[in-house]
């Protein structure tokens, strides 16, 4: 389980990718739940606490997106792996 706190960025219109930027400058890609994506403007730029499991991201030039469980994830991002968000709360 990975737990991080920071500012959330959600990419509306994508396959479900978002990212969190921590206060110390680290960035983690996120597989976000549908309720966050559905209301992405309510979440974008908000300070949040996130918990979830680390998931491997394939690195292949021809991968545009792939699925992690019930979520589609973009083939690019700020980190080499993705956090599958199991808990998110606004701070």
């Amino acid at each position: 389980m990975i737990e991080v706190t920071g500012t959330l960025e959600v990419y509306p219109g994508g396959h479900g990718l978002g990212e969190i930027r921590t206060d110390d400058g680290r960035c983690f890609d996120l597989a976000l739940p549908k309720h966050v994506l559905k209301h992405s403007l309510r979440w974008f730029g908000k300070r949040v606490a996130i918990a979830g499991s680390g998931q491997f991201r394939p690195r292949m030039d021809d991968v545009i997106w792939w699925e992690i469980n019930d979520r589609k994830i973009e083939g690019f991002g700020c980190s080499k792996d993705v956090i599958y968000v199991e808990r998110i709360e606004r701070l």
Side-chain angles (χ1 to χ4, degrees):
M1 192 66 111
I2 300 169
E3 296 183 16
V4 293
T5 301
T7 303
L8 182 65
E9 293 185 30
V10 183
Y11 302 112
H15 289 293
L17 183 67
E19 65 185 39
I20 187 168
R21 299 224 176 234
T22 63
D23 295 336
D24 63 4
R26 294 179 296 156
C27 181
F28 297 92
D29 291 321
L30 307 171
L32 293 165
K34 289 180 184 178
H35 77 276
V36 174
L37 296 172
K38 184 176 179 181
H39 302 287
S40 61
L41 293 178
R42 293 184 194 168
W43 289 91
F44 188 88
K46 303 297 185 207
R47 189 156 172 76
V48 296
I50 286 177
S53 58
Q55 302 290 321
F56 173 74
R57 176 202 302 272
R59 290 289 183 192
M60 300 179 343
D61 292 337
D62 58 347
V63 173
I64 296 172
W65 62 269
W66 79 98
E67 292 185 23
I68 297 176
N69 299 329
D70 61 338
R71 302 176 191 171
K72 290 182 179 178
I73 304 303
E74 303 284 350
F76 63 89
C78 69
S79 60
K80 68 177 188 172
D81 295 321
V82 175
I83 299 174
Y84 182 89
V85 177
E86 297 171 30
R87 189 180 79 237
I88 182 171
E89 64 179 275
R90 285 187 235 180
L91 300 176

